[in-house]
Amino acid sequence: MIKKAGGVFQTDLSVQQVRYLGLLENVKVRRAGYAFRMDFDEFMAKYKTTISGYPEFQPDSRRGVEQIMRDNGARGYEMGRTKIFIKEAKTILAIEDKRKEYVDQCASLVPKDDGFIWADKVWGFNSRFVRMPLNFVVGGKGFYYFSKNGKVEHFIPCEKCELISFNDREGWMVVTSSYPSKAKDEPDIQISYLSENIYSTEVENVVELVSRMGYEIKTAKANMIPEDAQDQQAYKQLTKMVVRGALPKANNASVNIPTCVPASKCVPTDKCVVQ
């Protein structure tokens, strides 16, 4: 007799349904072949954080995927024309564990009054305009750029972000935000922040997550990086024209990265959609 009730599990009925639907045969077929498959672009965007250090990828997702697999010592996979095929579940699970470890590290850097959403390894300029590896973290309140030792180099509130321009061939993204100007004839000053070693699939991830939080940011493909995003003097000149106190201040306190707060325990804001 079938009894429909919450929390009631009927073993015999469940086994019968599994057999009727052919799920066991399906599992056997999948295990005999390559159970996991993913496009090169998507795989590189998701798992490039598992590579040791902060390598700079070439704009070739196939080579990027090969580098990821090689660095992780992965076996039992094949490279197709546009996708990677992985035979054993333990291979992708080991890579996923390394990705989660990085995510947990980045979650521990986000201020307690904000929530972690997404993170990536990029190259950019720190608060002193020195090019260096950075952790680009999307929080519920905005974009954070952390150094390897946990220092906040830049913070851009979501409501200040006006445009995300990117170049997939060269692998860069620029976030443009506006702040009130000291000059009466120029009401707003646009400041640009450059992230290198980031590609269109990752940019799409950022834009989708931000839109799900209720912020609509324009995106555009670009051929040139804005001058202030790569020139120290141009950057300083623009920031001096911004009304005092209008630019978000970076928190100079460093965080000990190895002491992690799991992303699952990170308390998000009311707008966060944790990935």
Side-chain angles (χ1 to χ4, degrees), residues 53 79 173 198 207:
M79 302 291 288
M173 174 186 78
I198 187 168
V207 174

Side-chain angles (χ1 to χ4, degrees), residues 74-95:
R75 297 181 180 180
Y77 68 92
E78 293 290 340
M79 302 291 288
R81 294 182 62 184
T82 61
K83 294 183 178 182
I84 179 173
F85 298 83
I86 300 177
K87 190 176 184 69
E88 297 183 8
K90 63 181 181 182
T91 300
I92 189 60
L93 290 176
I95 296 175

Side-chain angles (χ1 to χ4, degrees), residues 129-172:
F129 219 85
V130 176
R131 189 173 184 274
M132 64 184 297
L134 297 170
N135 295 302
F136 173 60
V137 178
V138 179
K141 295 183 177 181
F143 301 153
Y144 297 86
Y145 293 84
F146 293 100
S147 65
K148 290 194 295 184
N149 67 356
K151 177 186 175 183
V152 183
E153 299 293 345
H154 300 291
F155 171 66
I156 311 172
C158 285
E159 61 268 18
K160 291 291 184 182
C161 296
E162 294 185 345
L163 174 68
I164 295 180
S165 53
F166 63 96
N167 186 302
D168 194 50
R169 182 173 59 85
E170 298 176 1
W172 54 261

Side-chain angles (χ1 to χ4, degrees), residues 58-117:
Q58 298 297 320
D60 182 341
S61 57
R62 181 188 179 93
R63 292 174 59 184
V65 171
E66 290 174 340
Q67 186 176 350
I68 292 170
M69 301 303 283
R70 186 168 55 250
D71 191 84
N72 281 279
R75 297 181 180 180
Y77 68 92
E78 293 290 340
M79 302 291 288
R81 294 182 62 184
T82 61
K83 294 183 178 182
I84 179 173
F85 298 83
I86 300 177
K87 190 176 184 69
E88 297 183 8
K90 63 181 181 182
T91 300
I92 189 60
L93 290 176
I95 296 175
E96 185 65 43
D97 285 343
K98 289 189 67 175
R99 174 180 172 271
K100 184 179 181 303
E101 181 181 344
Y102 173 76
V103 166
D104 287 345
Q105 291 176 353
C106 289
S108 71
L109 304 178
V110 177
K112 293 182 179 180
D113 63 344
D114 200 352
F116 171 85
I117 296 176

Side-chain angles (χ1 to χ4, degrees), residues 239-266:
T239 54
K240 286 181 180 179
M241 295 173 64
V242 175
V243 171
R244 187 173 183 178
L247 283 172
K249 292 186 178 294
N251 178 11
N252 292 323
S254 296
V255 180
N256 183 14
I257 292 181
T259 306
C260 297
V261 176
S264 58
K265 294 184 179 180
C266 181

